[in-house]
Amino acid sequence: MKEEALQKARQLDEQDQLSKFRSEFHFPQKNGKDCIYLCGNSLGLQPKRTSEFVNEELQKWQKWGVEGHFTGDKPWVSYHQNAKPYLSKIVGAHEHEVVAMNNLTTNLHLALASFYRPSGIRSKILIEKGAFPSDFYAVHSRIKVSGYDPEQNLIELEPSDGSDYLSTEEIIMTIEELGDELALVMFPGIQYYTGQLFNIKKITEVAHKVGAFAGFDLAHAAGNVPLSLHKDHADFAVWCTYKYLNSGPGGVGGLFIHEKHGRNTEMPRLSGWWGHDAEARFKMANQINPIPTVDGWQLSNVNILSHASHLASLSVFEEAGMENLRAKSLRLTDFMEELILNSEVLNNQIKILTPSNHEERGAQLSIYLTNHGKSVFEYLIERGVILDWREPNVIRVAPVPLYNSFTDAVNFVKILEEAISNEG
Ligand SMILES: *Cc1c(COP(=O)(O)O)cnc(C)c1O
C-alpha cells in the first residue's frame, strides 16, 4: 500500500460533505482505538442521540405510567406515525404505504398471507438460488401452510453461465416462461451474499405482465440505496432496520404495502387489533374494520423502546439525505474496489463477487479469498477491523457512507494485505 493512497484518502475525507456524521456514532474500541467498522450491513453502529430518544420514553413511563399512551408530543398510541415521514423517503413511498412494526421475517409472513394465495395452476413462487435462509424458510413454509408442495412450487433461479450473479434478462425470461403458473416473484433489493442490486422496476413490471405479484426483501437495501417502491409499483416490501438503518440489535422491522392494495380493506390478511380503525379500537366491539393503508396490517400495540431507537437513527438519515448518502457511497465503494484491484499483494489472491458496475451494487464488496481461509478474517478482527465472514471463503465489507471514511478504506486494505502476505 502506497503512501499516496493515504494522502488521497485524507484529501477525499476533507472534501466530504458528510464526514461530520462520523462523530454522531459510537465506535467499538480495540487496543485503545476506534475500530475500522465495516459491518454496517450486519449491525449498524449506535447513533449517539439514540440514548436520548430511548430515555425520553423511559422517563415518560416513569412519570406517567399508562397515561403515556396519550401524553406528550409523541403519545405511544400513535408513536408508529413518527417514523413515516422519514421512512417514506428512504424507500420511496407515500407515508400511508410504510409502517415500522414487528421484525422482518414476521412482516414477510404477514405479506405472504395476503400476496401468496395460490389457486389452480397459479401456485409458484420465484426466488433467487441462495436466498437468505429466513426468506427461504418463510416462502417454503407458506407454500406448505397453503396446502401446496414446496418441491413443485418454490422455484430457485440460478445464474445460467457460471456467473456469480443473475442478469435482469435471465430473471425476466424466467418470469415469462413461468407465466400463469407464477403467483409471486420475491427478490431482494440487494442480495446479502453477493451485494447485487436488483432492478425492482423491471422485475415488478414483468411479474405484473404475467399476472403475478412482486414483493421485495430490502434488508440490505433500505438505508443503503435510494428506492422508489411506489413509482416502481412493487406490491409489498419488508426490511429490517438494524443493518444500514442503525436501529439496534433486533430493532423493529418495516413493511411497505402499495396504496392500491392498502386501500382494499377486503384484501385477505392476518389481523390484529392495531390494524383496525383507531377510533373504534378501544370500543372493543369486534367489528372488522381494517385501516385502509399499510397500517391495516399491524397486529400489536407499538414496541415503544424499539421505535424510539429507530426514530433516533432516522433523524440522522433525514439530516444527511439519501441522495447525498448514495453519491458518497458510490465514491467510497469505488475507491475501496480500486485499492483492492490495484494491489499487487492481493492480485491473484482474491476475487470480488459483487458486480463491478456500481449501478448494480450498494455499499458492499464481497471478497472471495482464492488461496486463503478464515485465518485472514481472524487476523483482521484481531487488528480492529470489524467485518463479516461467510462460508466458504468470503469476507463481506460494507463501507457505510454515514460513518465510514476514505481513510478507513485505505487502512482496511493495508491490513488485508498484511494478513495475506504474512501467510505467504
Ligand atoms: C438480515 C436479514 C434477515 C433477518 O431477518 P429477521 O427477521 O430480522 O431476523 C432476513 N432476510 C434477509 C435477506 C436479511 O438480510
Side-chain angles (χ1 to χ4, degrees):
M1 174 63 53
K2 302 198 184 78
E3 184 56 27
E4 285 157 43
L6 197 56
Q7 273 174 18
K8 170 89 184 156
R10 292 206 177 110
Q11 192 187 350
L12 289 168
D13 284 333
E14 267 167 40
Q15 293 162 356
D16 172 17
Q17 305 277 328
L18 298 178
S19 61
K20 59 174 189 272
F21 286 99
R22 188 175 172 91
S23 65
E24 290 276 344
F25 291 85
H26 292 289
F27 279 76
Q29 305 289 303
K30 192 134 200 180
N31 310 325
K33 286 197 306 205
D34 281 1
C35 286
I36 301 171
Y37 196 82
L38 296 170
C39 214
N41 57 339
S42 192
L43 181 70
L45 289 179
Q46 184 185 134
K48 289 181 180 163
R49 65 182 76 171
T50 298
S51 52
E52 273 168 53
F53 276 68
V54 174
N55 274 330
E56 188 181 331
E57 301 314 317
L58 287 172
Q59 276 157 22
K60 221 153 87 188
W61 180 22
Q62 285 171 19
K63 199 163 156 199
W64 297 97
V66 71
E67 292 290 297
H69 280 104
F70 304 100
T71 308
D73 59 349
K74 295 196 286 272
W76 297 332
V77 72
S78 54
Y79 200 93
H80 58 287
Q81 301 291 349
N82 297 313
K84 287 175 184 271
Y86 304 134
L87 274 182
S88 62
K89 288 186 207 162
I90 287 170
V91 301
H94 291 302
E95 291 185 22
H96 59 263
E97 292 175 316
V98 289
V99 71
M101 62 183 204
N102 312 314
N103 284 85
L104 186 158
T105 309
T106 313
N107 291 342
L108 178 52
H109 274 295
L110 295 177
L112 289 172
S114 295
F115 291 93
Y116 178 65
R117 285 175 285 133
S119 90
I121 62 161
R122 195 179 287 286
S123 58
K124 295 193 164 130
I125 301 183
L126 177 68
I127 62 172
E128 89 280 20
K129 178 93 183 167
F132 193 92
S134 204
D135 300 44
F136 177 86
Y137 302 148
V139 289
H140 189 278
S141 59
R142 186 71 218 173
I143 292 172
K144 228 167 153 178
V145 164
S146 309
Y148 282 72
D149 180 4
E151 295 297 316
Q152 306 289 324
N153 292 292
L154 181 52
I155 313 294
E156 296 172 85
L157 183 59
E158 217 171 345
S160 58
D161 54 358
S163 162
D164 294 312
Y165 46 91
L166 291 161
S167 69
T168 307
E169 290 68 36
E170 276 176 300
I171 300 170
I172 290 173
M173 231 165 60
T174 309
I175 294 173
E176 284 173 344
E177 273 167 26
L178 288 165
D180 55 11
E181 293 182 7
L182 194 58
L184 173 67
V185 179
M186 209 194 72
F187 265 77
I190 288 184
Q191 220 281 344
Y192 83 98
Y193 184 76
T194 62
Q196 178 184 9
L197 170 60
F198 287 101
N199 190 328
I200 292 179
K201 183 171 193 259
K202 277 261 170 63
I203 293 173
T204 304
E205 196 179 290
V206 186
H208 288 172
K209 215 168 74 189
V210 303
F213 287 127
F216 297 89
D217 181 330
L218 307 178
H220 284 266
N224 179 4
V225 289
L227 296 158
S228 45
L229 295 176
H230 176 81
K231 274 208 300 230
D232 293 349
H233 300 285
D235 295 293
F236 74 85
V238 295
W239 58 94
C240 50
T241 64
Y242 47 81
K243 292 173 180 165
Y244 292 95
L245 290 173
N246 316 315
S247 73
V252 64
L255 176 70
F256 162 89
I257 302 274
H258 198 281
E259 66 179 4
K260 69 186 169 196
H261 305 300
R263 273 199 294 263
N264 177 8
T265 54
E266 296 299 315
M267 186 120 188
R269 70 192 74 193
L270 298 176
S271 286
W273 74 320
W274 228 251
H276 283 254
D277 178 11
E279 297 297 311
R281 190 179 288 143
F282 293 100
K283 295 198 178 116
M284 309 300 209
N286 289 351
Q287 265 169 357
I288 298 212
N289 197 7
I291 300 167
T293 71
V294 67
D295 287 4
W297 272 261
Q298 291 178 109
L299 298 179
S300 297
N301 74 94
V302 181
N303 179 337
I304 296 299
L305 300 182
S306 180
H307 276 252
S309 174
H310 183 217
L311 200 57
S313 176
L314 290 177
S315 73
V316 182
F317 272 86
E318 181 72 7
E319 288 166 31
M322 265 324 289
E323 296 300 325
N324 300 331
L325 286 167
R326 176 61 170 168
K328 173 176 172 185
S329 180
L330 289 170
R331 286 197 298 272
L332 182 56
T333 305
D334 289 355
F335 180 72
M336 185 187 275
E337 182 190 37
E338 218 176 284
L339 292 172
I340 294 169
L341 295 179
N342 290 338
S343 161
E344 278 168 30
V345 179
L346 300 181
N347 195 9
N348 294 325
Q349 302 292 339
I350 59 106
K351 182 179 155 204
I352 298 177
L353 303 182
T354 309
S356 55
N357 171 6
H358 73 186
E359 300 296 338
E360 288 181 64
R361 70 185 183 202
Q364 178 182 326
L365 295 175
S366 302
I367 304 170
Y368 181 82
L369 305 174
T370 319
N371 302 315
H372 296 263
K374 201 167 179 185
S375 51
V376 168
F377 167 75
E378 282 154 5
Y379 182 88
L380 285 158
I381 294 284
E382 190 47 44
R383 295 290 312 274
V385 184
I386 304 201
L387 30 65
D388 100 3
W389 174 260
R390 292 285 143 162
E391 297 297 336
N393 244 9
V394 171
I395 50 177
R396 294 186 310 170
V397 285
V400 171
L402 251 185
Y403 49 73
N404 283 125
S405 62
F406 291 87
T407 305
D408 284 341
V410 171
N411 289 333
F412 156 65
V413 176
K414 209 155 90 182
I415 299 170
L416 179 61
E417 285 181 340
E418 271 171 36
I420 299 271
S421 5
N422 286 354
E423 292 193 358

